[in-house]
Amino acid sequence: MDLTVIWAGLIAFAVAFYVVADGFDLGIGILFPGFRVGAERDAAMNAIAPVWDGNETWLVLGGGGLMAAFPLAYAIVLPALYAPLIAMLLGLVFRGVAFEFRWRDPAHRRVWDFGFCAGSIVATFAQGITLGALLQGIEVQARAYAGGWWDWLTPFSLLTGASLVAGYALLGACWLIAKTEGRTRDDARRFARIALPALIGALGAVSLATPFLDGQYYQRWFVSPGLFVTVPMPLLVAAVALLLWRSLKRDVDGHPFLYALALFGLSFAGLAISIWPDVIPGRVSIWDAAAPHSSQLFMLVGAGIMLPIILAYTGWSYWVFRGKVGTDGYH
């Protein structure tokens, strides 16, 4: 039993769960100015009110798990990406404060609505830049970060930032299709029809650029035997995108969100193909960055207890607040 692989899987699961769960929260914030002031915006807020703060649990689990299980990677990544990570955290703070205060300070609701939208965009864009900076490579010498303050800022990282904004906007729109009614749902469908082509175009651009960032990416995507795994990926993405587009024209409100999740799942698979088994692509593998075996084993006992509890209360909260948000704000 390789504990390093297990911990890599746990952290990947936590990050993926965060991206999907908090992704539709942030996506609703990105789309927020497009909804009419009053009942529509209130309905959009109420669609995520019971779950949004719990969704961020997975970000803490992913970041804390990286620090504990792969301390070398944490020590390299953090100084390399201080700026986008700080921007992400500030965006999440402003988003959270605005979410709470818009209900309790109606006299300044316009200000809090702006903060909710701006915080969501900043946090999402910073997360995408962070992913792009990791993929393009981090300069490492003597087991430490050896690059400059602005190395993360490149056209590719800006492209991945914009791509994630489009992806979260699509997730948010599809969530609202499933959770709201009337004009809010109709507007969400309209936004999804805009976000889907934008996301597919962005995915195509990122996919075309990534193999030329590093030789290992090109080898894994265009040289056999990996070629036999990677060739079906674009076809699967196109098929799921077509199904999502068709579902936006039908009356089964739950299907668009499921297809959007499938798109993100394929994106995660493509990312895994590109970087596995590295934790810092092309520089540090998961085994090079891993904590001692005894530490991993000790932490795994705690994770084995806490992770089922987190999954249980997360699943219970989604079950309790299942169904659509009514005009009165209740599920």
Side-chain angles (χ1 to χ4, degrees):
M1 183 175 62
D2 192 333
L3 293 181
T4 300
V5 174
I6 293 174
W7 268 107
L10 287 175
I11 293 172
F13 172 78
V15 172
F17 201 106
Y18 168 78
V19 167
V20 169
D22 208 37
F24 66 76
D25 294 351
L26 292 168
I28 290 172
I30 293 167
L31 299 172
F32 207 62
F35 294 107
R36 297 171 181 85
V37 176
E40 276 200 43
R41 291 190 177 184
D42 291 347
M45 282 283 200
N46 284 323
I48 58 174
V51 296
W52 75 272
D53 47 355
N55 290 339
E56 293 184 353
T57 301
W58 299 97
L59 178 62
V60 177
L61 181 60
L66 181 67
M67 180 181 68
F70 302 100
L72 176 61
Y74 187 87
I76 294 172
V77 169
L78 200 64
L81 300 174
Y82 268 136
L85 290 175
I86 290 172
M88 179 193 72
L89 293 175
L90 289 175
L92 292 174
V93 168
F94 277 104
R95 190 273 300 258
V97 170
F99 192 102
E100 298 295 338
F101 272 74
R102 79 177 299 273
W103 300 106
R104 292 163 175 80
D105 184 21
H108 301 93
R109 182 162 291 179
R110 182 177 298 180
V111 175
W112 300 121
D113 285 354
F114 173 79
F116 179 61
C117 175
S120 299
I121 293 173
V122 169
T124 302
F125 193 61
Q127 289 176 16
I129 285 178
T130 299
L131 173 61
L134 281 172
L135 284 174
Q136 72 190 11
I138 293 176
E139 188 65 29
V140 179
Q141 292 182 11
R143 295 168 62 86
Y145 176 59
W149 176 258
W150 296 102
D151 285 8
W152 54 270
L153 185 60
T154 64
F156 180 77
S157 67
L158 294 176
L159 174 62
T160 55
S163 301
L164 196 61
V165 171
Y168 281 4
L170 178 64
L171 271 179
C174 291
W175 179 259
L176 288 179
I177 292 171
K179 298 293 289 184
T180 60
E181 301 173 322
R183 293 169 64 179
T184 308
R185 179 184 58 185
D186 294 341
D187 282 343
R189 286 186 184 276
R190 177 166 56 87
F191 294 145
R193 293 190 187 102
I194 298 171
L196 177 57
L199 175 60
I200 296 304
L203 283 177
V206 170
S207 299
L208 289 173
T210 299
F212 301 99
L213 294 174
D214 192 285
Q216 72 169 10
Y217 298 151
Y218 188 91
Q219 289 285 329
R220 292 176 182 179
W221 279 93
F222 295 114
V223 177
S224 61
L227 185 65
F228 299 105
V229 178
T230 58
V231 164
M233 292 295 291
L235 300 177
L236 290 173
V237 170
V240 173
L242 179 60
L243 290 171
L244 175 52
W245 183 261
R246 293 179 61 185
S247 72
L248 294 173
K249 301 179 181 180
R250 298 178 177 177
D251 294 329
V252 183
D253 292 341
H255 286 178
F257 186 69
L258 296 178
Y259 291 132
L261 291 182
L263 275 180
F264 270 78
L266 290 171
S267 300
F268 290 137
L271 181 63
I273 291 171
S274 296
I275 69 174
W276 176 262
D278 293 341
V279 64
I280 299 177
R283 305 294 189 275
V284 181
S285 72
I286 59 174
W287 295 281
D288 294 332
H293 183 273
S294 57
S295 298
Q296 293 185 47
L297 184 60
F298 176 78
M299 293 183 297
L300 188 62
V301 174
I305 296 171
M306 294 306 301
L307 191 59
I309 295 174
I310 296 172
L311 287 169
Y313 79 67
T314 299
W316 177 249
S317 64
Y318 276 90
W319 173 256
V320 169
F321 294 100
R322 65 193 183 278
K324 289 184 175 289
V325 176
T327 55
D328 56 359
Y330 294 98
H331 285 71

